Amino acid sequence: MAKIKSAFFCSNCGYESSKWLGKCPTCLEWNTFTEEIINKNNTSNEDLNYLLNQNYESKTALTLKNIKSSKDVRILSIDNELNRVLGGGIVSGSLVLVGGEPGIGKSTLFLQLALSLSPRKILYVSGEESETQIKMRAERIAFYNEQLYILTETNTQKIFKQISLIEPELIIIDSIQTMHSILIESPQGSVSQIRQTAAEFQRLAKETHVPIFLIGHITKDGSIAGPKILEHIVDTVLQFEGDRHYSYRILRTLKNRFGNAAELGIYEMLHNGLKQVDNPSELLITQKPEALSGSTIAATMEGMRPLLVETQALVSQTIYSTPQRTVTGIDLRRLQILLAVLEKRGGFLFGNKDVFINIAGGIRLEDPSLDLALVCALLSSFQDIALSPKICFAGEVGLNGEIRGVTKIETRIKEADKLGFEKIIISGYNAPNAKNLKTNIEIVSLYKVEELYKKFFV
Ligand code: TYD
Ligand code: MG
């Protein structure tokens, strides 16, 4: 009998070690190592091919000239947000990993996709819910697909058998953590099972040219192995995120072999499924009758799409010895840098002030062009001077207090103009790009944070 081998894996990043470790040397997480039984000899390619009912032929190397070129064949769904994050539709033979916290709406999104792709033949494999539960969910959603097959199964070999019978045009696996391959002895959801089953689906996608979506759960406490360990083997990684207290959901591209890796899709969770949000800026700017201090509008970009968002700052006298710095929607370090710049360049002392930052709508932003709006929101709250809600900002702030140019300034200005803003403050370095735009909006260009202060707060 073959000797049973075991190894320790980090459930966060998949790092393998022969002994238990307290801290993972690659992702630096603590207490993530679990022991798993592996039997490497079993997982050879021959076995996989046998199970995929395919004959193993040894491959010969080819020159580029002899490789058949294939056009990038894509399935276009009626969900424009999904098409956008995938770089223009679902690429045939692609393996897409979709991560997200439990309950955020992953199953809903992909069941809706399967239903909306009618009359294409789709296989939706669920290891989490029963057929009746899935049917109940499907009945809430407005689409109907005669050719949608539901399979509640977790054994990959049995799933492959069904796939060869049904021959679907698209496969959805919900979720990869529930899948289980008989080639590996570790339990479901362990690092080696996730890797093994994902590798089997990858081979299937490449050999049959059927696109496969793998849904994966992310948990903050790392109690189950996360989809992070698969990021390198899949073609595209999407993340579905949002605050459960808001109805907005964001589908974000983290990696994409077939398109831009910084795209964003926005949805609203309704009682009958997810609705695409076509005009997100209108939703992210709260409508208020009067101007309030501490609130400014940033003209940001997420991927190819302009997004106007409200940034709010609250600066108040601290009662503790260490002032509080609390942010939602941006990186805390970003705020700390901006506060230091304001202190050094403008003489604003935040040392005895608590500072809170919030991005309206529960969305998280990384675009550095947010800086200018943040700085203005901070100053506005500090001085308790409200700015007109008809002004918006787009500029990055450097450590010397200089206002740097940002990408795609024309798109940002056009979006602000379309939404009825009267004035946009940009970097002087961006001014040449904005010169020839035919818009009604007044464009103000500045070079230094000091100028900003003089313009609005004295
Ligand atoms: P679900 O897709 O099950 O999340 P996940 O697969 O990411 O765990 O979504 C669950 C939530 O979505 C649940 O709280 C109910 C809500 N929901 C709606 O609000 N409207 C709907 O039409 C559907 C199907 C679900
Ligand atoms: Mg689910």
Side-chain angles (χ1 to χ4, degrees):
M1 213 179 98
K3 198 171 154 245
I4 294 173
K5 281 192 202 157
S6 77
F8 293 85
F9 291 93
C10 167
S11 62
N12 185 50
C13 69
Y15 180 82
E16 184 178 339
S17 159
S18 57
K19 59 180 195 307
W20 188 85
L21 298 171
K23 186 183 183 185
C24 176
T26 48
C27 70
L28 310 179
E29 289 289 322
W30 287 90
N31 285 331
T32 50
F33 278 82
T34 46
E35 184 173 16
E36 290 178 16
I37 296 165
I38 45 166
N39 220 341
K40 284 195 171 157
N41 302 339
N42 264 347
T43 61
S44 64
N45 286 340
E46 281 91 329
D47 281 340
L48 269 183
N49 269 300
Y50 169 73
L51 284 150
L52 288 168
N53 294 328
Q54 267 155 25
N55 299 324
Y56 185 78
E57 287 165 22
S58 71
K59 285 236 167 170
T60 42
L62 296 172
T63 57
L64 283 178
K65 206 177 99 196
N66 294 328
I67 299 175
K68 263 192 272 161
S69 66
S70 76
K71 274 238 183 77
D72 194 12
V73 190
R74 293 183 187 242
I75 300 175
L76 274 185
S77 83
I78 60 167
D79 181 346
N80 289 327
E81 305 293 302
L82 185 72
N83 290 339
R84 176 180 318 109
V85 294
L86 291 173
I90 306 162
V91 178
S92 79
S94 63
L95 186 66
V96 181
L97 174 69
V98 189
E101 285 180 27
I104 205 75
K106 301 179 296 298
S107 305
T108 307
L109 179 65
F110 285 94
L111 189 63
Q112 186 167 327
L113 171 73
L115 289 166
S116 72
L117 281 174
S118 170
R120 285 179 195 272
K121 212 189 255 184
I122 318 278
L123 177 65
Y124 181 96
V125 184
S126 178
E128 307 204 328
E129 290 160 306
S130 67
E131 284 99 344
T132 22
Q133 277 174 315
I134 298 169
K135 181 159 179 163
M136 273 163 63
R137 191 197 296 271
E139 280 167 353
R140 289 173 76 169
I141 298 170
F143 304 103
Y144 184 67
N145 185 358
E146 202 52 68
Q147 291 281 59
L148 169 62
Y149 289 78
I150 308 286
L151 174 66
T152 50
E153 178 59 70
T154 56
N155 180 321
T156 50
Q157 279 73 36
K158 290 185 185 158
I159 293 170
F160 292 146
K161 209 157 272 164
Q162 284 292 311
I163 290 170
S164 60
L165 286 175
I166 298 172
E167 295 188 338
E169 291 170 73
L170 184 120
I171 302 166
I172 296 160
I173 306 294
D174 188 4
S175 63
I176 189 70
Q177 276 111 342
T178 57
M179 292 298 131
H180 163 255
S181 168
I182 50 162
L183 299 181
I184 285 242
E185 289 181 43
S186 312
Q188 277 169 330
S190 63
V191 175
S192 30
Q193 267 303 352
I194 292 180
R195 275 198 187 144
Q196 171 66 26
T197 50
E200 290 177 16
F201 286 118
Q202 191 207 25
R203 284 187 66 103
L204 184 79
K206 300 299 164 214
E207 284 173 15
T208 59
H209 304 291
V210 175
I212 304 182
F213 285 91
L214 302 178
I215 296 177
H217 292 293
I218 297 173
T219 50
K220 287 214 177 86
D221 59 0
S223 51
I224 45 171
K228 206 173 164 46
I229 53 180
L230 296 180
E231 280 176 5
H232 60 283
I233 73 160
V234 299
D235 299 307
T236 304
V237 181
L238 304 180
Q239 186 156 311
F240 203 40
E241 57 190 38
D243 193 319
R244 221 165 302 178
H245 305 294
Y246 290 93
S247 57
Y248 304 116
R249 299 284 182 270
I250 291 161
L251 189 62
R252 200 186 277 278
T253 322
L254 299 183
K255 162 186 170 175
N256 194 358
R257 283 189 183 144
F258 313 111
N260 190 339
E263 286 297 345
L264 200 76
I266 303 183
Y267 297 88
E268 193 175 358
M269 180 65 96
L270 301 176
H271 66 283
N272 58 350
L274 288 151
K275 183 174 153 267
Q276 304 172 42
V277 175
D278 303 321
N279 49 355
S281 299
E282 285 172 25
L283 288 168
L284 295 169
I285 301 170
T286 45
Q287 310 295 328
K288 47 183 186 290
E290 50 180 334
L292 298 170
S293 72
S295 161
T296 55
I297 310 289
T300 67
M301 292 286 299
E302 281 295 326
M304 303 300 285
R305 150 197 265 199
L307 206 59
L308 271 79
V309 290
E310 182 176 345
T311 57
Q312 297 175 328
L314 179 66
V315 179
S316 64
Q317 199 64 34
T318 184
I319 51 164
Y320 302 108
S321 54
T322 328
Q324 294 185 71
R325 305 280 180 250
T326 309
V327 294
T328 38
I330 62 157
D331 186 3
L332 178 62
R333 280 168 297 183
R334 198 78 224 148
L335 170 66
Q336 284 162 340
I337 291 171
L338 294 178
L339 289 178
V341 170
L342 284 176
E343 198 152 328
K344 178 93 179 171
R345 307 288 155 198
F348 294 95
L349 301 178
F350 286 92
N352 57 352
K353 307 276 189 203
D354 288 337
V355 179
F356 305 93
I357 296 285
N358 182 35
I359 304 293
I363 114 164
R364 189 168 55 81
L365 293 171
E366 278 159 15
D367 186 356
S369 71
L370 204 62
D371 287 357
L372 208 51
L374 281 172
V375 163
C376 262
L378 287 167
L379 291 176
S380 163
S381 183
F382 190 97
Q383 304 286 70
D384 203 17
I385 297 174
L387 294 183
S388 156
K390 292 282 167 205
I391 303 178
C392 63
F393 300 84
E396 184 181 348
V397 174
L399 293 188
N400 295 322
E402 77 278 21
I403 300 172
R404 294 200 190 143
V406 292
T407 56
K408 305 202 181 75
I409 193 73
E410 301 92 332
T411 320
R412 299 173 201 252
I413 296 174
K414 280 191 207 141
E415 177 78 359
D417 185 46
K418 198 173 85 189
L419 292 171
F421 281 87
E422 287 161 6
K423 203 184 270 188
I424 182 165
I425 318 299
I426 63 167
S427 157
Y429 303 104
N430 268 145
N433 309 21
K435 214 168 54 196
N436 297 326
L437 284 178
K438 288 191 182 62
T439 49
N440 296 323
I441 194 167
E442 182 192 345
I443 301 170
V444 179
S445 51
L446 304 176
Y447 288 92
K448 293 238 146 224
V449 174
E450 289 94 315
E451 296 170 43
L452 194 70
Y453 177 72
K454 285 195 199 108
K455 188 156 181 64
F456 293 109
F457 302 102
V458 282

